[in-house]
Amino acid sequence: MIAVNPMDSASLLAAFGALGVLVVIFAESGLLVVGFVLPGDALLFPAGVLCAGNGPQGARLELWQVLVCAAVGALAGGQLGYLLGRRGGRALLARTSNRRLKEGAVRAERLLARYGYGKALVIGRFIPMLRTVLHPAAGALGVPTRTFTVWQVVGGLLWSQSFVLIGYTLGSAVPHIDKYLLPLVGVVVALSLLPLLAEARRTRRDRRSPSR
């Protein structure tokens, strides 16, 4: 029996390949609580590297399969999260004792208010943790279904396809990139967290500024 760590991208890809990408991205994009602990960016990028046949022991995935699975997982997960939000998202968020979930819901609401539905749904896809709660929050806040669907498709495709293709491009261009894969994944995750840190810093600054 193969031991699989659902939080370890290498373990998931070795065990399930492109199908693992679909399942994890689906859960991260739409399932509250569960999605917070799953890798997203940290799965798509190595999957792209493996598509170039530049992984450990020559491990290789098919690029078209990974791209399709990543897209299906992102779009289906986002739509499910929205539907769950419309059918009781506010009550769920009110009852939860998960501090990260509550903070994520507050950030999602601020993002939607600050940038508008379209831009927020695209930007939110690229921010870990926030993208898990953004879609249920959009449903709970009453974002129109057509508007949500259009922009979550745009954001889901941009996010899922770009990370896979970046990994594939680097995997094709850099020999033995698997030796540097772990640090590269760390860089990718750190960069994706920058908008979240900037938002937190802006919020603290706004709280400290004197009211007019």
Side-chain angles (χ1 to χ4, degrees), residues 147-176:
T147 300
F148 173 83
T149 301
V150 169
W151 289 108
Q152 83 98 357
V153 167
V154 172
L157 289 177
L158 284 174
W159 170 64
S160 63
Q161 308 300 281
S162 64
F163 273 86
V164 172
L165 291 173
I166 289 170
Y168 177 76
T169 301
L170 286 177
S172 301
V174 181
H176 309 296

PDB file of all heavy atoms in Angstrom, residues 147-176:
ATOM      1  N   THR A 147     -22.397  36.694 -12.844  1.00  0.00           N
ATOM      2  CA  THR A 147     -21.170  37.464 -12.626  1.00  0.00           C
ATOM      3  C   THR A 147     -20.107  36.602 -11.974  1.00  0.00           C
ATOM      4  O   THR A 147     -18.939  36.596 -12.391  1.00  0.00           O
ATOM      5  CB  THR A 147     -21.460  38.686 -11.731  1.00  0.00           C
ATOM      6  OG1 THR A 147     -22.428  39.505 -12.358  1.00  0.00           O
ATOM      7  CG2 THR A 147     -20.196  39.492 -11.481  1.00  0.00           C
ATOM      8  N   PHE A 148     -20.512  35.867 -10.941  1.00  0.00           N
ATOM      9  CA  PHE A 148     -19.550  34.995 -10.266  1.00  0.00           C
ATOM     10  C   PHE A 148     -18.975  33.960 -11.221  1.00  0.00           C
ATOM     11  O   PHE A 148     -17.759  33.747 -11.267  1.00  0.00           O
ATOM     12  CB  PHE A 148     -20.213  34.286  -9.082  1.00  0.00           C
ATOM     13  CG  PHE A 148     -19.316  33.256  -8.458  1.00  0.00           C
ATOM     14  CD1 PHE A 148     -18.364  33.624  -7.524  1.00  0.00           C
ATOM     15  CD2 PHE A 148     -19.391  31.917  -8.838  1.00  0.00           C
ATOM     16  CE1 PHE A 148     -17.514  32.677  -6.962  1.00  0.00           C
ATOM     17  CE2 PHE A 148     -18.544  30.965  -8.285  1.00  0.00           C
ATOM     18  CZ  PHE A 148     -17.608  31.350  -7.348  1.00  0.00           C
ATOM     19  N   THR A 149     -19.828  33.304 -11.987  1.00  0.00           N
ATOM     20  CA  THR A 149     -19.385  32.223 -12.863  1.00  0.00           C
ATOM     21  C   THR A 149     -18.386  32.719 -13.899  1.00  0.00           C
ATOM     22  O   THR A 149     -17.335  32.102 -14.128  1.00  0.00           O
ATOM     23  CB  THR A 149     -20.586  31.564 -13.561  1.00  0.00           C
ATOM     24  OG1 THR A 149     -21.491  31.043 -12.567  1.00  0.00           O
ATOM     25  CG2 THR A 149     -20.138  30.433 -14.473  1.00  0.00           C
ATOM     26  N   VAL A 150     -18.692  33.846 -14.515  1.00  0.00           N
ATOM     27  CA  VAL A 150     -17.791  34.389 -15.542  1.00  0.00           C
ATOM     28  C   VAL A 150     -16.413  34.671 -14.963  1.00  0.00           C
ATOM     29  O   VAL A 150     -15.385  34.239 -15.505  1.00  0.00           O
ATOM     30  CB  VAL A 150     -18.385  35.668 -16.162  1.00  0.00           C
ATOM     31  CG1 VAL A 150     -17.335  36.384 -17.017  1.00  0.00           C
ATOM     32  CG2 VAL A 150     -19.612  35.336 -17.005  1.00  0.00           C
ATOM     33  N   TRP A 151     -16.367  35.370 -13.828  1.00  0.00           N
ATOM     34  CA  TRP A 151     -15.082  35.803 -13.293  1.00  0.00           C
ATOM     35  C   TRP A 151     -14.334  34.699 -12.557  1.00  0.00           C
ATOM     36  O   TRP A 151     -13.094  34.698 -12.549  1.00  0.00           O
ATOM     37  CB  TRP A 151     -15.262  37.031 -12.415  1.00  0.00           C
ATOM     38  CG  TRP A 151     -15.599  38.229 -13.232  1.00  0.00           C
ATOM     39  CD1 TRP A 151     -16.797  38.867 -13.320  1.00  0.00           C
ATOM     40  CD2 TRP A 151     -14.721  38.905 -14.132  1.00  0.00           C
ATOM     41  NE1 TRP A 151     -16.737  39.905 -14.216  1.00  0.00           N
ATOM     42  CE2 TRP A 151     -15.465  39.947 -14.726  1.00  0.00           C
ATOM     43  CE3 TRP A 151     -13.391  38.743 -14.499  1.00  0.00           C
ATOM     44  CZ2 TRP A 151     -14.913  40.817 -15.657  1.00  0.00           C
ATOM     45  CZ3 TRP A 151     -12.835  39.609 -15.428  1.00  0.00           C
ATOM     46  CH2 TRP A 151     -13.602  40.633 -15.994  1.00  0.00           C
ATOM     47  N   GLN A 152     -15.064  33.746 -11.992  1.00  0.00           N
ATOM     48  CA  GLN A 152     -14.335  32.639 -11.366  1.00  0.00           C
ATOM     49  C   GLN A 152     -13.739  31.739 -12.435  1.00  0.00           C
ATOM     50  O   GLN A 152     -12.687  31.132 -12.217  1.00  0.00           O
ATOM     51  CB  GLN A 152     -15.238  31.864 -10.387  1.00  0.00           C
ATOM     52  CG  GLN A 152     -16.134  30.804 -10.984  1.00  0.00           C
ATOM     53  CD  GLN A 152     -15.542  29.396 -10.864  1.00  0.00           C
ATOM     54  OE1 GLN A 152     -14.420  29.217 -10.379  1.00  0.00           O
ATOM     55  NE2 GLN A 152     -16.290  28.398 -11.327  1.00  0.00           N
ATOM     56  N   VAL A 153     -14.370  31.639 -13.596  1.00  0.00           N
ATOM     57  CA  VAL A 153     -13.791  30.889 -14.709  1.00  0.00           C
ATOM     58  C   VAL A 153     -12.516  31.581 -15.192  1.00  0.00           C
ATOM     59  O   VAL A 153     -11.476  30.940 -15.411  1.00  0.00           O
ATOM     60  CB  VAL A 153     -14.806  30.734 -15.857  1.00  0.00           C
ATOM     61  CG1 VAL A 153     -14.113  30.253 -17.128  1.00  0.00           C
ATOM     62  CG2 VAL A 153     -15.911  29.755 -15.464  1.00  0.00           C
ATOM     63  N   VAL A 154     -12.578  32.901 -15.363  1.00  0.00           N
ATOM     64  CA  VAL A 154     -11.397  33.657 -15.794  1.00  0.00           C
ATOM     65  C   VAL A 154     -10.263  33.486 -14.787  1.00  0.00           C
ATOM     66  O   VAL A 154      -9.128  33.143 -15.141  1.00  0.00           O
ATOM     67  CB  VAL A 154     -11.734  35.157 -15.965  1.00  0.00           C
ATOM     68  CG1 VAL A 154     -10.463  35.969 -16.230  1.00  0.00           C
ATOM     69  CG2 VAL A 154     -12.728  35.351 -17.104  1.00  0.00           C
ATOM     70  N   GLY A 155     -10.563  33.722 -13.505  1.00  0.00           N
ATOM     71  CA  GLY A 155      -9.533  33.600 -12.481  1.00  0.00           C
ATOM     72  C   GLY A 155      -9.022  32.180 -12.329  1.00  0.00           C
ATOM     73  O   GLY A 155      -7.807  31.955 -12.186  1.00  0.00           O
ATOM     74  N   GLY A 156      -9.931  31.197 -12.376  1.00  0.00           N
ATOM     75  CA  GLY A 156      -9.524  29.801 -12.220  1.00  0.00           C
ATOM     76  C   GLY A 156      -8.607  29.332 -13.336  1.00  0.00           C
ATOM     77  O   GLY A 156      -7.626  28.624 -13.088  1.00  0.00           O
ATOM     78  N   LEU A 157      -8.919  29.733 -14.561  1.00  0.00           N
ATOM     79  CA  LEU A 157      -8.076  29.329 -15.688  1.00  0.00           C
ATOM     80  C   LEU A 157      -6.717  30.033 -15.647  1.00  0.00           C
ATOM     81  O   LEU A 157      -5.679  29.400 -15.873  1.00  0.00           O
ATOM     82  CB  LEU A 157      -8.785  29.631 -17.011  1.00  0.00           C
ATOM     83  CG  LEU A 157      -9.994  28.746 -17.337  1.00  0.00           C
ATOM     84  CD1 LEU A 157     -10.646  29.204 -18.635  1.00  0.00           C
ATOM     85  CD2 LEU A 157      -9.600  27.270 -17.424  1.00  0.00           C
ATOM     86  N   LEU A 158      -6.717  31.325 -15.348  1.00  0.00           N
ATOM     87  CA  LEU A 158      -5.447  32.056 -15.274  1.00  0.00           C
ATOM     88  C   LEU A 158      -4.539  31.450 -14.215  1.00  0.00           C
ATOM     89  O   LEU A 158      -3.345  31.230 -14.447  1.00  0.00           O
ATOM     90  CB  LEU A 158      -5.702  33.523 -14.963  1.00  0.00           C
ATOM     91  CG  LEU A 158      -6.212  34.405 -16.097  1.00  0.00           C
ATOM     92  CD1 LEU A 158      -6.550  35.797 -15.587  1.00  0.00           C
ATOM     93  CD2 LEU A 158      -5.177  34.497 -17.217  1.00  0.00           C
ATOM     94  N   TRP A 159      -5.101  31.174 -13.044  1.00  0.00           N
ATOM     95  CA  TRP A 159      -4.298  30.650 -11.934  1.00  0.00           C
ATOM     96  C   TRP A 159      -3.803  29.242 -12.232  1.00  0.00           C
ATOM     97  O   TRP A 159      -2.592  28.967 -12.178  1.00  0.00           O
ATOM     98  CB  TRP A 159      -5.131  30.664 -10.653  1.00  0.00           C
ATOM     99  CG  TRP A 159      -4.503  29.939  -9.516  1.00  0.00           C
ATOM    100  CD1 TRP A 159      -3.325  30.259  -8.886  1.00  0.00           C
ATOM    101  CD2 TRP A 159      -4.993  28.753  -8.875  1.00  0.00           C
ATOM    102  NE1 TRP A 159      -3.062  29.347  -7.886  1.00  0.00           N
ATOM    103  CE2 TRP A 159      -4.068  28.414  -7.857  1.00  0.00           C
ATOM    104  CE3 TRP A 159      -6.129  27.966  -9.056  1.00  0.00           C
ATOM    105  CZ2 TRP A 159      -4.237  27.312  -7.029  1.00  0.00           C
ATOM    106  CZ3 TRP A 159      -6.314  26.864  -8.225  1.00  0.00           C
ATOM    107  CH2 TRP A 159      -5.381  26.549  -7.226  1.00  0.00           C
ATOM    108  N   SER A 160      -4.714  28.330 -12.530  1.00  0.00           N
ATOM    109  CA  SER A 160      -4.336  26.924 -12.667  1.00  0.00           C
ATOM    110  C   SER A 160      -3.400  26.688 -13.847  1.00  0.00           C
ATOM    111  O   SER A 160      -2.413  25.949 -13.733  1.00  0.00           O
ATOM    112  CB  SER A 160      -5.593  26.049 -12.800  1.00  0.00           C
ATOM    113  OG  SER A 160      -6.325  26.369 -13.975  1.00  0.00           O
ATOM    114  N   GLN A 161      -3.693  27.315 -14.973  1.00  0.00           N
ATOM    115  CA  GLN A 161      -2.875  27.070 -16.166  1.00  0.00           C
ATOM    116  C   GLN A 161      -1.513  27.748 -16.074  1.00  0.00           C
ATOM    117  O   GLN A 161      -0.501  27.190 -16.497  1.00  0.00           O
ATOM    118  CB  GLN A 161      -3.614  27.546 -17.427  1.00  0.00           C
ATOM    119  CG  GLN A 161      -5.027  26.986 -17.559  1.00  0.00           C
ATOM    120  CD  GLN A 161      -5.088  25.479 -17.618  1.00  0.00           C
ATOM    121  OE1 GLN A 161      -4.837  24.873 -18.645  1.00  0.00           O
ATOM    122  NE2 GLN A 161      -5.432  24.845 -16.501  1.00  0.00           N
ATOM    123  N   SER A 162      -1.466  28.944 -15.497  1.00  0.00           N
ATOM    124  CA  SER A 162      -0.192  29.671 -15.443  1.00  0.00           C
ATOM    125  C   SER A 162       0.822  28.968 -14.552  1.00  0.00           C
ATOM    126  O   SER A 162       2.000  28.851 -14.916  1.00  0.00           O
ATOM    127  CB  SER A 162      -0.415  31.107 -14.960  1.00  0.00           C
ATOM    128  OG  SER A 162      -0.900  31.144 -13.629  1.00  0.00           O
ATOM    129  N   PHE A 163       0.401  28.455 -13.397  1.00  0.00           N
ATOM    130  CA  PHE A 163       1.350  27.800 -12.502  1.00  0.00           C
ATOM    131  C   PHE A 163       1.878  26.497 -13.114  1.00  0.00           C
ATOM    132  O   PHE A 163       3.066  26.168 -12.971  1.00  0.00           O
ATOM    133  CB  PHE A 163       0.712  27.543 -11.137  1.00  0.00           C
ATOM    134  CG  PHE A 163       0.851  28.706 -10.195  1.00  0.00           C
ATOM    135  CD1 PHE A 163      -0.075  29.731 -10.212  1.00  0.00           C
ATOM    136  CD2 PHE A 163       1.916  28.786  -9.313  1.00  0.00           C
ATOM    137  CE1 PHE A 163       0.044  30.813  -9.360  1.00  0.00           C
ATOM    138  CE2 PHE A 163       2.057  29.861  -8.452  1.00  0.00           C
ATOM    139  CZ  PHE A 163       1.112  30.885  -8.468  1.00  0.00           C
ATOM    140  N   VAL A 164       1.012  25.756 -13.782  1.00  0.00           N
ATOM    141  CA  VAL A 164       1.468  24.526 -14.440  1.00  0.00           C
ATOM    142  C   VAL A 164       2.454  24.863 -15.562  1.00  0.00           C
ATOM    143  O   VAL A 164       3.518  24.229 -15.692  1.00  0.00           O
ATOM    144  CB  VAL A 164       0.279  23.730 -15.002  1.00  0.00           C
ATOM    145  CG1 VAL A 164       0.775  22.551 -15.854  1.00  0.00           C
ATOM    146  CG2 VAL A 164      -0.610  23.212 -13.875  1.00  0.00           C
ATOM    147  N   LEU A 165       2.130  25.866 -16.356  1.00  0.00           N
ATOM    148  CA  LEU A 165       2.983  26.214 -17.500  1.00  0.00           C
ATOM    149  C   LEU A 165       4.311  26.822 -17.064  1.00  0.00           C
ATOM    150  O   LEU A 165       5.332  26.618 -17.720  1.00  0.00           O
ATOM    151  CB  LEU A 165       2.235  27.175 -18.430  1.00  0.00           C
ATOM    152  CG  LEU A 165       1.054  26.536 -19.185  1.00  0.00           C
ATOM    153  CD1 LEU A 165       0.274  27.597 -19.949  1.00  0.00           C
ATOM    154  CD2 LEU A 165       1.532  25.439 -20.135  1.00  0.00           C
ATOM    155  N   ILE A 166       4.312  27.563 -15.949  1.00  0.00           N
ATOM    156  CA  ILE A 166       5.578  28.082 -15.423  1.00  0.00           C
ATOM    157  C   ILE A 166       6.477  26.917 -15.010  1.00  0.00           C
ATOM    158  O   ILE A 166       7.675  26.889 -15.306  1.00  0.00           O
ATOM    159  CB  ILE A 166       5.329  29.024 -14.233  1.00  0.00           C
ATOM    160  CG1 ILE A 166       4.713  30.342 -14.721  1.00  0.00           C
ATOM    161  CG2 ILE A 166       6.640  29.321 -13.493  1.00  0.00           C
ATOM    162  CD1 ILE A 166       4.219  31.241 -13.608  1.00  0.00           C
ATOM    163  N   GLY A 167       5.898  25.948 -14.298  1.00  0.00           N
ATOM    164  CA  GLY A 167       6.674  24.767 -13.910  1.00  0.00           C
ATOM    165  C   GLY A 167       7.183  23.999 -15.115  1.00  0.00           C
ATOM    166  O   GLY A 167       8.336  23.555 -15.134  1.00  0.00           O
ATOM    167  N   TYR A 168       6.328  23.852 -16.133  1.00  0.00           N
ATOM    168  CA  TYR A 168       6.726  23.129 -17.343  1.00  0.00           C
ATOM    169  C   TYR A 168       7.852  23.865 -18.075  1.00  0.00           C
ATOM    170  O   TYR A 168       8.818  23.235 -18.534  1.00  0.00           O
ATOM    171  CB  TYR A 168       5.525  22.980 -18.263  1.00  0.00           C
ATOM    172  CG  TYR A 168       5.842  22.307 -19.579  1.00  0.00           C
ATOM    173  CD1 TYR A 168       6.030  20.924 -19.646  1.00  0.00           C
ATOM    174  CD2 TYR A 168       5.956  23.056 -20.750  1.00  0.00           C
ATOM    175  CE1 TYR A 168       6.334  20.305 -20.843  1.00  0.00           C
ATOM    176  CE2 TYR A 168       6.257  22.443 -21.951  1.00  0.00           C
ATOM    177  CZ  TYR A 168       6.451  21.075 -22.000  1.00  0.00           C
ATOM    178  OH  TYR A 168       6.760  20.463 -23.194  1.00  0.00           O
ATOM    179  N   THR A 169       7.746  25.175 -18.161  1.00  0.00           N
ATOM    180  CA  THR A 169       8.773  25.970 -18.856  1.00  0.00           C
ATOM    181  C   THR A 169      10.117  25.865 -18.149  1.00  0.00           C
ATOM    182  O   THR A 169      11.156  25.647 -18.789  1.00  0.00           O
ATOM    183  CB  THR A 169       8.337  27.444 -18.938  1.00  0.00           C
ATOM    184  OG1 THR A 169       7.101  27.533 -19.646  1.00  0.00           O
ATOM    185  CG2 THR A 169       9.387  28.281 -19.656  1.00  0.00           C
ATOM    186  N   LEU A 170      10.115  26.000 -16.838  1.00  0.00           N
ATOM    187  CA  LEU A 170      11.371  25.882 -16.088  1.00  0.00           C
ATOM    188  C   LEU A 170      11.909  24.456 -16.154  1.00  0.00           C
ATOM    189  O   LEU A 170      13.115  24.243 -16.282  1.00  0.00           O
ATOM    190  CB  LEU A 170      11.145  26.291 -14.630  1.00  0.00           C
ATOM    191  CG  LEU A 170      10.979  27.781 -14.369  1.00  0.00           C
ATOM    192  CD1 LEU A 170      10.680  28.049 -12.900  1.00  0.00           C
ATOM    193  CD2 LEU A 170      12.241  28.537 -14.780  1.00  0.00           C
ATOM    194  N   GLY A 171      11.006  23.479 -16.061  1.00  0.00           N
ATOM    195  CA  GLY A 171      11.442  22.094 -16.142  1.00  0.00           C
ATOM    196  C   GLY A 171      12.077  21.758 -17.478  1.00  0.00           C
ATOM    197  O   GLY A 171      12.988  20.923 -17.553  1.00  0.00           O
ATOM    198  N   SER A 172      11.605  22.396 -18.545  1.00  0.00           N
ATOM    199  CA  SER A 172      12.157  22.158 -19.879  1.00  0.00           C
ATOM    200  C   SER A 172      13.471  22.891 -20.086  1.00  0.00           C
ATOM    201  O   SER A 172      14.321  22.441 -20.868  1.00  0.00           O
ATOM    202  CB  SER A 172      11.152  22.613 -20.953  1.00  0.00           C
ATOM    203  OG  SER A 172       9.936  21.928 -20.837  1.00  0.00           O
ATOM    204  N   ALA A 173      13.640  24.029 -19.397  1.00  0.00           N
ATOM    205  CA  ALA A 173      14.798  24.883 -19.654  1.00  0.00           C
ATOM    206  C   ALA A 173      15.971  24.609 -18.719  1.00  0.00           C
ATOM    207  O   ALA A 173      17.126  24.834 -19.095  1.00  0.00           O
ATOM    208  CB  ALA A 173      14.391  26.357 -19.541  1.00  0.00           C
ATOM    209  N   VAL A 174      15.701  24.143 -17.510  1.00  0.00           N
ATOM    210  CA  VAL A 174      16.754  23.988 -16.500  1.00  0.00           C
ATOM    211  C   VAL A 174      17.036  22.507 -16.264  1.00  0.00           C
ATOM    212  O   VAL A 174      16.167  21.789 -15.770  1.00  0.00           O
ATOM    213  CB  VAL A 174      16.348  24.657 -15.165  1.00  0.00           C
ATOM    214  CG1 VAL A 174      17.462  24.514 -14.143  1.00  0.00           C
ATOM    215  CG2 VAL A 174      16.006  26.128 -15.397  1.00  0.00           C
ATOM    216  N   PRO A 175      18.238  22.031 -16.600  1.00  0.00           N
ATOM    217  CA  PRO A 175      18.572  20.620 -16.363  1.00  0.00           C
ATOM    218  C   PRO A 175      18.576  20.298 -14.860  1.00  0.00           C
ATOM    219  O   PRO A 175      18.999  21.116 -14.044  1.00  0.00           O
ATOM    220  CB  PRO A 175      19.982  20.490 -16.958  1.00  0.00           C
ATOM    221  CG  PRO A 175      20.133  21.661 -17.878  1.00  0.00           C
ATOM    222  CD  PRO A 175      19.316  22.763 -17.275  1.00  0.00           C
ATOM    223  N   HIS A 176      18.080  19.130 -14.527  1.00  0.00           N
ATOM    224  CA  HIS A 176      18.098  18.645 -13.135  1.00  0.00           C
ATOM    225  C   HIS A 176      17.436  19.631 -12.173  1.00  0.00           C
ATOM    226  O   HIS A 176      17.905  19.838 -11.052  1.00  0.00           O
ATOM    227  CB  HIS A 176      19.537  18.372 -12.674  1.00  0.00           C
ATOM    228  CG  HIS A 176      20.319  17.499 -13.608  1.00  0.00           C
ATOM    229  ND1 HIS A 176      19.972  16.179 -13.864  1.00  0.00           N
ATOM    230  CD2 HIS A 176      21.405  17.773 -14.381  1.00  0.00           C
ATOM    231  CE1 HIS A 176      20.838  15.667 -14.727  1.00  0.00           C
ATOM    232  NE2 HIS A 176      21.706  16.611 -15.058  1.00  0.00           N
TER     233      HIS A 176
END
